Amino acid sequence: LAPCLVELIGTTMLCFTVGTAQGALAPLAIGSMLMVMIYMGGWISGGHFNPAVTLAVLARSLLGATHGVFTRRQAARYV
């Protein structure tokens, strides 16, 4: 339950920041928020705050990665 909750909070914060950041410093705001979220919950959930990252890690595992294998069951919790 904890990894799913951390992913929910991180994804919510990412969407909020992307939707509200304006101006020349918007990329810095988005990157800073993502960095803080990864430091906050990366050790709990792996830090896949974007569902596309989860699918990419799953595809990497399905294509034969031997380190950091990610199962379909794990991916289903995050997406």
Side-chain angles (χ1 to χ4, degrees):
L1 182 63
C4 295
L5 184 61
V6 168
E7 289 291 323
L8 176 69
I9 293 168
T11 302
T12 302
M13 292 301 296
L14 178 63
C15 291
F16 176 77
T17 306
V18 169
T20 59
Q22 297 178 1
L25 295 178
L28 182 63
I30 294 167
S32 297
M33 187 284 315
L34 190 56
M35 177 187 67
V36 168
M37 288 294 114
I38 289 173
Y39 277 119
M40 181 266 314
W43 63 278
I44 296 172
S45 68
H48 302 179
F49 297 119
N50 184 341
V53 173
T54 303
L55 294 177
V57 173
L58 176 64
R60 178 182 158 270
S61 295
L62 293 176
L63 292 173
T66 57
H67 179 71
V69 176
F70 200 66
T71 65
R72 288 182 180 147
R73 185 174 179 187
Q74 288 173 313
R77 291 189 302 178
Y78 294 119
V79 175

